[in-house]
Amino acid sequence: MHCAISLQASGPRRTNMAQIASTVSHSLKEYRLLPRLTEANENAQSVSLETRLCRQDDGYLVLRTPFLSAAMQAVTSVELAIAMAQLGGMGVFAVSQTIEEQCARIDAVKRFKAGFQTDIVTLSPEQSIDEVIGIINETGYSTFPVTDTGVFHGKLVGVITDKDFDERYDRQQRVIDRMKTDVQTGIEEDDLKTANTRMIEYGRGFLPIVSSEGTLVSVVFKKDLDKHIRHPYSTEDAQKRLVVGAAISTHPEDRERLEALIEHQADVIVIDASDGHTEYQGETLKWIKAHYDIPVVAGNVVTREGFNYLANCGADSVKIGMGIASGCTTQMVKATGRGQATSIKEVAAARDEWAKTNGDYIPLIADGSIQGPADMLIALSLGANALMMGNLLARFTESHGELVRNATGDLVKEYWMEGSRKAFNNRRYAQLASTFFEEGIVGQVPHAGSVYDKLPIVIQMLRSGMATTGCPTIEALHHDSILELQSSVSLEDSGVHDMSTVQSIQEI
């Protein structure tokens, strides 16, 4: 069975008056997991957080950890997207920016760790050192191959780094006067492991790969190898580059955006809409699937009917959640939405029925109402495959919001909803600019430090919780976990009570 809790389906019957669903909507915070036998070989260290994010080709795109950063202006920066992929998840860039900005951010993630790199700045022998200094200051790069033509696929004639000249005295010199010509190379090398080994043997920071005729084919950097050693569980594409997602809207003009995102090699497209159970989203899904072979995450939905609609339209993954984000006011102004636990449970049941009937498993993403590891575990146990987070990730140094001090002097990060006036993402909410009303607020969240320091602790908390439930994988959580709905008094007992604290609970 899916889990120990069973609620009635909420599909109302059509009559001559409004219907009241027989279910009661529940939050993730109302549930607890019951412990089960933890076997000796299933301790926290042996727990796997690998999960299916979405269908891809004949299989699935798999994350090493079930984390996605929300497609929000205040959340996913280039730095956070890189960190999410390095830590086993994936970042998603918001649609509320220009096509050029969104594509440039994808390029930055793809260039960050690329194994065999082919898109790097290349110099000609006749360029001045003054030009090189300008390029270094503009790009931050410090090592450059030099080819006879100055373009990447020219004949390699040397290498120059920022250590090969003096900024004070050499500005009028040419590259040929300062470059090194005794360059050790890999000839027609196409195995990354072998190239890395050769680079280490040479004691160099990078290794140019050339053809038998000496034409520069690619470059392997030691810094990329170091990143891999520090983050061995990063989520990578077939070319060993970090994965990244990008959002589009359902508006027809975003078909141009979609084409650009695919050209810039986004791994996943996320349709950004507060309500995914619409013909606009259905038409967008069908159009993408008719023209491109790329995974598409659709949503958001909170009902069985919403999932079935998107599944029928070709969704490769479905996002769940409405009106339950920390700064979302959708339920307050429109009275639409649902408790996230109930939403996940009903949609997961629909997903499992779909898989049984069609032989086609469609992963689910819980989006919203996740404040910490406990909420993550409940969402995953109820049937989610991955978790999209905004507020929690917005707290980290790498997020897009500015780091400032509030009125009391505490460090905080700026955080705003996509439905706020600051974001003015009216296209996401199907609103006209002239009649725009807010469905989210602008605020601040506590600064929690670097995601590289804190998210590994969260990962360990998840593993520990899964081990206690006797579930070594997320799939096992779906089938074997036992959840229990708690009374309000029971929930009070589960928190800190009846004592004064001398040390606060560890915050994420």
Side-chain angles (χ1 to χ4, degrees), residues 417-448:
M417 302 294 103
E418 287 298 292
S420 68
R421 188 163 293 279
K422 180 171 182 175
F424 204 68
N425 189 1
N426 58 299
R427 298 164 77 246
R428 181 182 199 268
Y429 293 86
Q431 294 192 42
L432 299 175
S434 58
T435 57
F436 178 81
F437 63 89
E438 292 183 305
E439 292 190 44
I441 66 170
V442 177
Q444 298 170 335
V445 292
H447 179 231

Side-chain angles (χ1 to χ4, degrees), residues 215-233:
T215 299
L216 183 63
V217 176
S218 62
V219 176
V220 177
F221 285 92
K222 184 177 182 296
K223 63 181 181 179
D224 288 342
L225 175 60
D226 293 340
K227 291 168 189 170
H228 179 72
I229 292 172
R230 290 198 303 271
H231 304 290
Y233 302 113

Side-chain angles (χ1 to χ4, degrees), residues 359-376:
D360 184 19
Y361 185 91
I362 300 176
L364 302 177
I365 301 168
D367 178 18
S369 194
I370 295 170
Q371 295 181 2
D375 298 331
M376 296 176 188

Side-chain angles (χ1 to χ4, degrees), residues 172 188 276 374 402 424 460:
Q172 302 308 313
E188 297 188 348
E402 186 176 355
F424 204 68
Q460 186 59 25

Side-chain angles (χ1 to χ4, degrees), residues 363-489:
L364 302 177
I365 301 168
D367 178 18
S369 194
I370 295 170
Q371 295 181 2
D375 298 331
M376 296 176 188
L377 281 164
I378 299 302
L380 293 170
S381 298
L382 288 169
N385 299 87
L387 312 165
M388 177 171 275
M389 297 174 288
N391 184 307
L392 188 147
L393 296 177
R395 300 168 181 240
F396 294 126
T397 305
E398 293 79 7
S399 72
H400 197 263
E402 186 176 355
L403 180 64
V404 298
R405 290 194 181 275
N406 62 14
T408 61
D410 297 322
L411 280 173
V412 296
K413 293 280 285 187
E414 291 186 335
Y415 183 49
W416 61 95
M417 302 294 103
E418 287 298 292
S420 68
R421 188 163 293 279
K422 180 171 182 175
F424 204 68
N425 189 1
N426 58 299
R427 298 164 77 246
R428 181 182 199 268
Y429 293 86
Q431 294 192 42
L432 299 175
S434 58
T435 57
F436 178 81
F437 63 89
E438 292 183 305
E439 292 190 44
I441 66 170
V442 177
Q444 298 170 335
V445 292
H447 179 231
S450 173
V451 68
Y452 290 104
D453 296 330
K454 295 299 180 70
L455 205 59
I457 298 173
V458 173
I459 289 170
Q460 186 59 25
M461 290 176 176
L462 287 183
R463 286 175 172 156
S464 180
M466 290 171 63
T468 301
T469 67
C471 298
T473 65
I474 290 174
E475 186 174 352
L477 269 181
H478 292 172
H479 298 290
D480 300 330
S481 63
I482 304 173
L483 296 98
E484 185 175 74
L485 190 63
Q486 305 289 295
S487 70
S488 59
V489 177

Side-chain angles (χ1 to χ4, degrees), residues 52-307:
R52 291 174 283 187
L53 173 65
C54 57
R55 296 184 300 188
Q56 183 183 54
D57 300 325
D58 295 328
Y60 292 88
L61 193 160
V62 174
L63 301 180
R64 308 296 292 272
T65 54
F67 302 136
L68 301 171
S69 65
M72 299 173 65
Q73 294 176 18
V75 179
T76 306
S77 63
V78 168
E79 293 75 19
L80 187 65
I82 288 170
M84 293 302 293
Q86 284 189 306
L87 293 167
M90 188 182 78
V92 182
F93 288 118
V95 66
S96 47
Q97 57 189 310
T98 67
I99 296 174
E100 292 74 20
E101 289 170 336
Q102 200 177 22
C103 289
R105 291 185 168 107
I106 291 172
D107 291 343
V109 175
K110 287 298 182 185
R111 285 197 303 265
F112 184 77
K113 181 180 181 300
F116 291 103
Q117 294 198 32
T118 59
D119 184 21
I120 61 175
V121 177
T122 307
L123 304 177
S124 79
E126 299 304 316
Q127 285 182 266
S128 69
I129 296 300
D130 188 60
E131 287 181 80
V132 177
I133 293 171
I135 293 170
I136 291 173
N137 292 335
E138 180 181 349
T139 65
Y141 301 153
S142 60
T143 301
F144 306 92
V146 183
T147 64
D148 58 347
T149 60
V151 298
F152 187 83
H153 290 298
K155 184 176 181 180
L156 183 70
V157 294
V159 170
I160 190 168
T161 75
D162 59 350
K163 303 294 191 299
D164 295 325
F165 55 83
D166 190 304
E167 287 193 23
R168 296 169 296 176
Y169 307 115
D170 290 340
R171 286 181 176 269
Q172 302 308 313
Q173 298 294 324
R174 297 174 302 164
V175 168
I176 194 172
D177 300 322
R178 293 290 180 265
M179 71 182 188
K180 289 185 173 66
T181 58
D182 57 336
V183 183
Q184 292 166 308
T185 64
I187 300 175
E188 297 188 348
E189 182 61 66
D190 60 1
D191 180 75
L192 184 58
K193 185 175 180 180
T194 302
N196 285 330
T197 301
R198 192 182 304 277
M199 179 171 53
I200 294 170
E201 290 174 352
Y202 291 155
R204 302 293 186 181
F206 82 114
L207 180 72
I209 307 297
V210 298
S211 69
S212 57
E213 294 81 20
T215 299
L216 183 63
V217 176
S218 62
V219 176
V220 177
F221 285 92
K222 184 177 182 296
K223 63 181 181 179
D224 288 342
L225 175 60
D226 293 340
K227 291 168 189 170
H228 179 72
I229 292 172
R230 290 198 303 271
H231 304 290
Y233 302 113
S234 58
T235 310
E236 301 173 350
D237 64 17
Q239 286 76 47
K240 302 297 182 182
R241 302 172 303 178
L242 299 178
V243 299
V244 64
I248 65 168
S249 77
T250 59
H251 293 258
E253 62 265 27
D254 261 11
R255 293 177 180 179
E256 178 186 353
R257 180 186 297 270
L258 173 68
E259 183 177 358
L261 295 175
I262 293 173
E263 182 178 339
H264 286 260
Q265 300 182 61
D267 296 280
V268 179
I269 297 299
V270 177
I271 301 179
D272 189 42
S274 59
D275 176 15
H277 193 181
T278 68
E279 289 188 353
Y280 303 112
Q281 183 140 164
E283 291 170 0
T284 300
L285 259 173
K286 292 175 183 176
W287 189 89
I288 296 173
K289 287 301 176 182
H291 292 83
Y292 299 100
D293 181 22
I294 188 168
V296 182
V297 175
N300 286 20
V301 298
V302 296
T303 64
R304 176 188 306 272
E305 292 81 7
F307 170 83

